Amino acid sequence: MSTLLVLGGARSGKSRFAENWVAAQGTCFAYIATAQALDEEMAQRIERHRADRGDAWQTLEAPMDLAGSIADAGGNSDAILVDCLTLWLSNWILAEKHPPVSELVEAVIVCPRPIALVANEVGLGIVPDNALARRFRDEAGRLNQAVAAAVEQVVLMVAGLPVEVKN
Amino acid sequence: MSTLLVLGGARSGKSRFAENWVAAQGTCFAYIATAQALDEEMAQRIERHRADRGDAWQTLEAPMDLAGSIADAGGNSDAILVDCLTLWLSNWILAEKHPPVSELVEAVIVCPRPIALVANEVGLGIVPDNALARRFRDEAGRLNQAVAAAVEQVVLMVAGLPVEVKN
Amino acid sequence: MSTLLVLGGARSGKSRFAENWVAAQGTCFAYIATAQALDEEMAQRIERHRADRGDAWQTLEAPMDLAGSIADAGGNSDAILVDCLTLWLSNWILAEKHPPVSELVEAVIVCPRPIALVANEVGLGIVPDNALARRFRDEAGRLNQAVAAAVEQVVLMVAGLPVEVKN
């Protein structure tokens, strides 16, 4: 099945590009959100995004068990959007647990529907002072490599435009 | 008319690439600088750059009213260089005013001469601790997307070399 | 002779890509390491990497005199890997000396064997607060530009995959 990894920096148009790609694959879609509504403002923002996507999209929340949600979503939708892997990684690191990257990669590989995954590229700035930030960017880089190796197509978003990395 | 956005990181060769592109479009050029000479050292640096460009270049200072300067420059030169959008954004944010992005984009679209705009890509590092820095990189990302959507050509400079993003 | 610069962020697969490229050029290779074993942990890590590369690789340490090591290695091996330029730059800056960039570039140009050089791209995040970090990223940008101009091929690694910058 068709698989896409959308990489990019802050406000680079990653989510919109991935959403358009998924929306071109059928009529009903799963949106797997890794963000957690930790406060009222965040809850409102998540609700607003859900309303913006409209009725064709079913929203699943998967702050931790992403592989399980991908497996569930595969049976009920024409295509799947995971937004985003970097937040999922952050949730595991904050929980002080080892992120199950190979389980996630396996779920992507066996997914019976087209799937697009969004992730942040965070490794192209100066080395952070902070040890946790250094560890996070190392883990994010390894995660992006593992997923990029498993999918068919990778793009890097630059100012809202896709640069082809793997095709 | 021909329009180019040159994106890149620190010391990636953005300005030189944009300057060469503009200098290939005719014989007299407008250099629109968004930097402000806030101290003596900065004033000397700006003056040195002006001397380096030579007599074919007329320098306009536009720390805030960029759309107006682009409109003015269009009548008096063969091609225009704007260096840089990120500093212009920073000037608006420091003045605690909302940057007039759509007015700028409109000025680029209606500009009767070839125009190259330089901007920094600042969103590919780790999320900054500082709230103002986070807001700044979000706004810079949105600005880059708006301009990239309006121009004909976008390049990302990497180590002095252009990677084609839009053509 | 064939020359390659491999740029990329943290954990982007730079070293592995460069190592595979070098290993395809013959049967005995020089690995020029710019890292210094400043403590026991670092020494163990360097030793582990050396063991991983195997007997086909001879390791040279060149924290400062990189041009000299490249000249030496050229006579004794089929191909050379320099890992990495950014650490070499950092060693010079920490020693409060001016990095001999043009001497390095000259050594790369006259090298009689295929040579791959690894460097970090550190300029695509937000401007650092810290003056030394700002200076470092400016110098790293200039170094990358100087080497990129001298070599035949440049790639930017993104999530383990090469994006062609110069070919």
Side-chain angles (χ1 to χ4, degrees):
Chain A
M1 260 305 135
S2 195
T3 47
L4 168 69
L5 174 63
V6 181
L7 291 167
R11 307 290 160 186
S12 62
K14 300 181 298 295
S15 297
R16 202 187 47 219
F17 184 85
E19 212 173 298
N20 290 343
W21 184 89
V22 168
Q25 314 282 338
T27 54
C28 69
F29 316 108
Y31 179 90
I32 305 182
T34 57
Q36 287 176 286
L38 297 173
D39 57 31
E40 186 54 27
E41 190 197 329
M42 192 67 181
Q44 286 179 12
R45 209 178 136 189
I46 289 175
E47 189 44 44
R48 209 165 50 238
H49 284 170
R50 184 197 295 252
D52 284 351
R53 282 189 298 274
D55 288 345
W57 291 81
Q58 187 200 350
T59 303
L60 286 88
E61 283 174 28
M64 304 288 285
D65 182 20
L66 193 45
S69 286
I70 291 172
D72 290 347
N76 299 312
S77 49
D78 294 336
I80 300 166
L81 172 53
V82 175
D83 194 353
C84 75
L85 296 181
T86 316
L87 211 45
W88 170 80
L89 177 68
S90 173
N91 293 338
W92 279 89
I93 289 180
L94 290 174
E96 297 183 0
K97 290 179 182 165
H98 189 71
V101 172
S102 47
E103 198 188 312
L104 167 63
V105 167
E106 185 57 25
V108 171
I109 291 171
V110 303
C111 180
R113 303 290 176 194
I115 181 166
L117 307 112
V118 172
N120 284 276
E121 174 54 63
V122 297
L124 291 161
I126 210 83
V127 180
D129 289 332
N130 179 308
L132 181 61
R134 281 199 301 276
R135 188 191 145 203
F136 181 70
R137 74 172 201 155
D138 281 353
E139 296 250 18
R142 285 191 202 102
L143 170 61
N144 290 352
Q145 283 197 49
V147 177
V151 298
E152 288 164 19
Q153 210 185 330
V154 180
V155 296
L156 174 70
M157 299 303 295
V158 176
L161 301 161
V163 174
E164 201 173 275
V165 176
K166 180 182 186 178
N167 201 356
Chain B
M1 259 306 134
S2 196
T3 48
L4 168 69
L5 174 63
V6 181
L7 292 167
R11 307 292 158 184
S12 62
K14 299 182 298 294
S15 297
R16 201 186 48 218
F17 184 85
E19 213 174 298
N20 290 343
W21 184 89
V22 168
Q25 314 282 336
T27 54
C28 69
F29 316 108
Y31 179 89
I32 304 182
T34 58
Q36 288 177 286
L38 297 173
D39 57 31
E40 186 53 27
E41 189 196 330
M42 192 67 182
Q44 287 179 10
R45 208 178 138 190
I46 289 175
E47 189 43 46
R48 207 165 52 237
H49 284 170
R50 185 197 296 252
D52 285 350
R53 281 190 299 274
D55 289 343
W57 292 80
Q58 186 200 350
T59 302
L60 286 88
E61 282 172 29
M64 305 288 285
D65 182 20
L66 192 45
S69 287
I70 291 172
D72 289 348
N76 300 312
S77 50
D78 294 337
I80 301 166
L81 172 53
V82 175
D83 193 352
C84 76
L85 296 181
T86 315
L87 211 44
W88 171 80
L89 177 67
S90 172
N91 293 338
W92 279 88
I93 289 179
L94 290 175
E96 296 184 1
K97 289 178 182 168
H98 189 71
V101 173
S102 47
E103 199 187 311
L104 166 63
V105 167
E106 185 57 26
V108 171
I109 291 171
V110 302
C111 180
R113 303 290 176 194
I115 181 166
L117 307 111
V118 172
N120 284 277
E121 174 55 63
V122 298
L124 290 161
I126 210 84
V127 181
D129 287 333
N130 179 308
L132 182 62
R134 281 199 301 276
R135 189 191 144 203
F136 181 70
R137 75 172 200 155
D138 281 352
E139 297 250 18
R142 284 192 202 101
L143 170 61
N144 290 352
Q145 282 196 48
V147 177
V151 298
E152 287 165 19
Q153 211 185 330
V154 180
V155 297
L156 174 72
M157 299 303 295
V158 175
L161 301 160
V163 174
E164 200 173 276
V165 176
K166 180 182 186 178
N167 200 354
Chain C
M1 258 305 133
S2 197
T3 47
L4 168 69
L5 173 63
V6 182
L7 292 166
R11 307 291 158 185
S12 62
K14 299 181 298 296
S15 297
R16 202 187 45 217
F17 184 86
E19 211 173 300
N20 290 343
W21 183 89
V22 169
Q25 314 282 338
T27 54
C28 69
F29 316 108
Y31 178 90
I32 304 182
T34 59
Q36 286 176 287
L38 297 173
D39 57 30
E40 187 53 28
E41 190 196 329
M42 191 70 181
Q44 287 179 11
R45 210 178 135 189
I46 289 174
E47 189 43 45
R48 207 165 52 237
H49 285 168
R50 185 196 296 253
D52 285 350
R53 281 189 298 273
D55 288 344
W57 292 80
Q58 185 199 350
T59 301
L60 287 88
E61 282 173 29
M64 305 288 285
D65 182 20
L66 192 44
S69 286
I70 291 172
D72 289 347
N76 299 312
S77 50
D78 294 336
I80 301 166
L81 171 53
V82 175
D83 195 352
C84 75
L85 296 181
T86 316
L87 212 45
W88 171 80
L89 177 68
S90 172
N91 293 338
W92 279 89
I93 289 180
L94 290 175
E96 296 183 1
K97 290 179 183 166
H98 189 70
V101 172
S102 47
E103 198 188 312
L104 166 63
V105 167
E106 186 57 27
V108 171
I109 290 171
V110 304
C111 179
R113 302 291 176 194
I115 180 167
L117 306 113
V118 172
N120 284 276
E121 173 54 62
V122 298
L124 290 161
I126 210 83
V127 181
D129 288 332
N130 180 307
L132 182 62
R134 280 200 300 277
R135 189 191 145 203
F136 180 70
R137 74 172 201 156
D138 281 352
E139 297 250 18
R142 285 192 202 101
L143 170 61
N144 290 352
Q145 283 196 49
V147 177
V151 297
E152 288 164 20
Q153 211 186 331
V154 180
V155 296
L156 174 71
M157 299 303 295
V158 175
L161 301 161
V163 174
E164 201 173 275
V165 176
K166 181 182 185 179
N167 200 355

